[in-house]
Amino acid sequence: MAEIQKGLEGIVALETKIAYIDGIKGILEYRGININEIMKLSYDEVVYLLLHSKLPTESDRTKFINRLRDERVIDEGTINIVRVCNFNIEAMDALRTAVSHLSHCDPDLNDNSLEANLRKGTELVAQFPTIVAAFWRIRNMEEPIPPDKTLSHGANFLYMLRGTKPTALEAKCMESDFILSAEHELNASTFSVRTTASTLSDMHSAIISGLGTLKGVLHGGARLAVLEMLDEIEEPEKAENHVLNLISNKKRVMGFGHRVYKTFDPRGIIFKQITKEIAEDTGDLRWFSIAENIEATVLREFVEKRNKPIYPNVDFYAGVLYKYLKIPPLLSTAVFAIGRISGWVAHCIEQFADNRLIRPRARYAGEHDLPIRFL
Ligand code: CMC
């Protein structure tokens, strides 16, 4: 049997045309377009690119954007499911339940044709923000706010959350977060999505697998951990000691390190620029300064002193940005999912187009030929 690669590190499990990563040079592309160029698109256009493998013509673009905006509304049954959720949970848990309910209502639940999956996937992309915002409003004893078709994906989410329209800069930041979170090759949650799809299960089930995997603190849950760390540190002057304490106690600095990137994560660089812009705009540099001090200490302690490639990953400055956008911590992982759903849908479609069951092996490490003995 082959050598075990713990955590499947370095294993190439499949071929994809959705994203390309060079973890040494710090390059990320969506469908062959560098992430720095991708930032010139709207989230809606990125969704089209991921789901349809190409950018739309002008008329397809208009049709697709209108379609996404029409599909933002969720039915009363799903809102009621959100209402009965236990509200000491993260939005992620309610989102998982709501997606399960959405599947019950879908006429094509078990239809895995391209046409059905494009329809289901487009609806899920449109509906994720509505579900997450409804969860937060209901949790706060407020009525959900219906989506506003005149607003972009990012602006509309903030509007449904707060009940007031965001500033142009806040809307741009939210859009950027969704774009930067949209897709990242065979990360753990996308692997879960593809594994479920590979059994010829349905798209909703595959997305639920992805949600469950994204929630973990070593993956999307790191954004919540970053928010908690910022709150704990409170002041820029305390950041360095906080990091030194984590290191001496052999604890991880959340939002740092990556399985693939051994240099700066290109998404993290963009997140940092955006976060700086909004921090300067608000005139409150506290969270950004804490973050810069954390980053400087991690780079000094790991990269310079120990020669270990531990750089800020996508979740670090995303967490800081959420501070400025006033995204409640309990929503942070679900907000990541609002962006990532488009990548998951693209991977589901790619998996169904050329499927083979994903089924690796494990090396047995237990005993053999034991007698039956009740204890
Ligand atoms: N803080 C301190 N030490 C770290 C960190 C960190 N954040 N990340 C890795 N290390 C150390 C680790 O202790 C180990 O040291 P040693 O070789 O002395 O035992 C070495 O670096 C390699 O770590 P690993 O856990 O074997 O590496 P991995 O590729 O399995 O882990 C990771 C990748 C993301 C799980 C890890 O870097 C980590 O736990 N980071 C913190 C959580 C986090 O930010 N997660 C978000 C991941 S990226 C975006 C996403 O998926 O959402």
Side-chain angles (χ1 to χ4, degrees), residues 311-328:
Y311 293 86
N313 60 47
V314 69
D315 294 319
F316 185 61
Y317 280 101
V320 189
L321 178 66
Y322 289 3
K323 266 281 176 210
Y324 286 102
L325 290 176
K326 301 190 172 54
I327 302 284

Side-chain angles (χ1 to χ4, degrees), residues 24 46 66 94 104 128 153 233 363:
I24 303 301
V46 171
N66 288 338
H104 306 171
F128 264 34
H153 208 67
I233 295 176
R363 182 185 297 153

Side-chain angles (χ1 to χ4, degrees), residues 218-219 252-259 308 310 313 315:
L218 295 186
H219 194 6
R252 295 198 170 204
V253 191
M254 301 317 282
F256 287 83
H258 199 275
R259 176 60 68 78
K308 271 189 170 185
I310 297 181
N313 60 47
D315 294 319

Side-chain angles (χ1 to χ4, degrees), residues 139-189:
R139 187 184 185 277
N140 294 330
M141 309 292 171
E142 291 169 324
E143 272 308 295
I145 292 171
D148 181 336
K149 275 191 207 176
T150 64
L151 299 177
S152 70
H153 208 67
N156 176 58
F157 172 62
L158 289 174
Y159 166 66
M160 291 190 296
L161 201 60
R162 303 169 173 174
T164 51
K165 290 188 181 162
T167 65
L169 180 58
E170 286 175 322
K172 182 186 115 177
C173 289
M174 199 69 259
E175 278 278 295
S176 301
D177 171 64
F178 292 155
I179 294 168
L180 291 167
S181 306
E183 163 57 11
H184 209 236
E185 198 224 53
L186 210 52
N187 58 85
S189 58

Side-chain angles (χ1 to χ4, degrees), residues 170-285:
E170 286 175 322
K172 182 186 115 177
C173 289
M174 199 69 259
E175 278 278 295
S176 301
D177 171 64
F178 292 155
I179 294 168
L180 291 167
S181 306
E183 163 57 11
H184 209 236
E185 198 224 53
L186 210 52
N187 58 85
S189 58
T190 302
F191 188 57
S192 292
V193 166
R194 290 192 75 133
T195 302
T196 302
S198 85
T199 69
L200 301 184
S201 181
D202 63 280
M203 178 175 277
H204 287 85
S205 297
I207 299 303
I208 291 164
S209 299
L211 286 167
T213 310
L214 186 71
K215 183 182 167 186
V217 72
L218 295 186
H219 194 6
R223 290 187 190 189
L224 173 59
V226 169
L227 283 165
E228 289 169 346
M229 176 166 67
L230 293 171
D231 281 337
E232 210 181 320
I233 295 176
E234 280 184 316
E235 302 296 338
E237 309 74 58
K238 297 188 195 155
E240 181 179 3
N241 265 341
H242 184 91
V243 173
L244 293 176
N245 278 335
L246 288 175
I247 297 173
S248 59
N249 289 311
K250 303 222 172 306
K251 290 196 177 145
R252 295 198 170 204
V253 191
M254 301 317 282
F256 287 83
H258 199 275
R259 176 60 68 78
V260 181
Y261 292 115
K262 299 304 165 201
T263 182
F264 286 94
D265 179 331
R267 302 164 300 171
I269 295 172
I270 302 170
F271 261 121
K272 184 174 178 180
Q273 288 159 358
I274 299 165
T275 308
K276 187 165 187 236
E277 196 181 336
I278 196 164
E280 284 171 348
D281 187 71
T282 61
D284 172 14
L285 284 169

